[in-house]
Amino acid sequence: MKALVFVLLFSFFSIGASGQITRLTFTIGVGPATNRVSGDDPTAKSIIENWRGQRSTAFNMQLLADFAELQTSGVNLQTGISFTGYSKGDVFDGLPSATGIVKQRYRAAYTWVGVPVRFVYKFSWNRFVPQVFAGISGQYMLGDSNVAVEQEIYSNNGDLIQTTRQRLDLQRNRLQLWGDLGAAAAYRLELFPSLGLQLSATYSTQFSRVWQSSLNESISHWQFAFGLIYFVKE
């Protein structure tokens, strides 16, 4: 797995150094996410139970480049750099205690930087360019990613006494592999022919695990994104 991610990184910088860029695309998007979790120890089971039915969200930014040397019969190879953020948190559950009520929840906040490598097939209808794509992405999980348990302690009168937040001791898999599948529609502006706009929908799923621990978690998410295209040479 690590070797594959390093190959993706090396391929991106090698192509960027030697290839002729024809277009650059910057996209920013957000969408719903789901996580698949399992585990046998008490901490893992508690997290799974608290996360059941709770919504999660993913955020993504990408800078993608197309290269002239990699274009053949409508299909071209596209690569770049991406940043992805993921968050999930359950509602506070009230638990009785000697002092009053203890409300507890688990919160997840993960971030990655990565290198997507995609095969893109483009149709051309004058200035309107629909496209479909599929590929893989090597992602590096950043150091602030964590699962934390938050507690709010209230008195019997309902007054907030104390708030605590503690990270769980989970060892993350730094290098992770994802798969991407999606479609986009681009439009080249008539007044500014070197610029274009793009709308895209992407489904990404994780092939590897998030953690090296008893909490077995993998994530999938949608991204509905808006993009700006700069045609360097077409």
Side-chain angles (χ1 to χ4, degrees):
M1 185 68 67
K2 292 183 179 181
L4 179 57
V5 175
F6 282 126
V7 167
L8 292 176
L9 290 169
F10 177 77
S11 299
F12 168 70
F13 289 110
S14 297
I15 293 170
S18 61
Q20 183 179 15
I21 296 176
T22 60
R23 68 172 68 180
L24 294 170
T25 305
F26 175 76
T27 66
I28 182 169
V30 67
T34 59
N35 67 332
R36 302 172 297 279
V37 291
S38 61
D40 296 327
D41 72 5
T43 299
K45 288 182 177 180
S46 179
I47 294 174
I48 294 167
E49 184 64 29
N50 276 268
W51 275 349
R52 187 164 296 165
Q54 298 299 321
R55 296 180 179 180
S56 53
T57 305
F59 169 82
N60 179 265
M61 292 190 300
Q62 294 187 108
L63 179 62
L64 302 171
D66 295 7
F67 297 92
E69 288 83 349
L70 303 175
Q71 295 178 353
T72 56
S73 64
V75 179
N76 71 285
L77 192 60
Q78 187 181 71
T79 186
I81 297 176
S82 68
F83 172 85
T84 303
Y86 166 88
S87 64
K88 184 179 182 71
D90 60 329
V91 296
F92 277 106
D93 292 324
L95 304 173
S97 71
T99 57
I101 298 295
V102 177
K103 295 185 177 181
Q104 178 174 290
R105 66 179 173 183
Y106 288 96
R107 302 281 295 178
Y110 312 151
T111 52
W112 299 267
V113 292
V115 177
V117 178
R118 297 173 174 174
F119 288 98
V120 184
Y121 186 85
K122 298 177 181 177
F123 309 87
S124 184
W125 298 340
N126 198 3
R127 294 184 178 275
F128 181 62
V129 184
Q131 51 195 283
V132 293
F133 54 85
I136 58 176
S137 178
Q139 301 282 341
Y140 180 82
M141 196 174 190
L142 299 180
D144 60 346
S145 302
N146 69 88
V147 176
V149 57
E150 298 179 352
Q151 284 188 340
E152 291 183 353
I153 302 176
Y154 293 84
S155 68
N156 291 319
N157 297 325
D159 299 323
L160 179 62
I161 301 174
Q162 185 179 6
T163 300
T164 62
R165 188 176 191 273
Q166 182 179 2
R167 292 187 180 188
L168 301 184
D169 185 18
L170 299 173
Q171 185 177 1
R172 57 185 69 86
N173 282 317
R174 290 291 190 181
L175 297 178
Q176 301 173 10
L177 184 65
W178 293 68
D180 301 320
L181 181 66
Y187 181 78
R188 191 163 188 167
L189 300 178
E190 186 172 359
L191 294 178
F192 305 96
S194 62
L195 298 178
L197 302 177
Q198 177 175 292
L199 296 175
S200 63
T202 307
Y203 178 75
S204 300
T205 188
Q206 193 174 32
F207 296 143
S208 54
R209 293 173 51 175
V210 177
W211 305 103
Q212 297 178 9
S213 70
S214 59
L215 181 63
N216 185 359
E217 181 182 18
S218 58
I219 297 167
S220 299
H221 62 80
W222 282 93
Q223 290 294 321
F224 301 100
F226 172 80
L228 179 65
I229 304 171
Y230 176 63
F231 296 94
V232 180
K233 185 175 181 181
E234 197 76 19

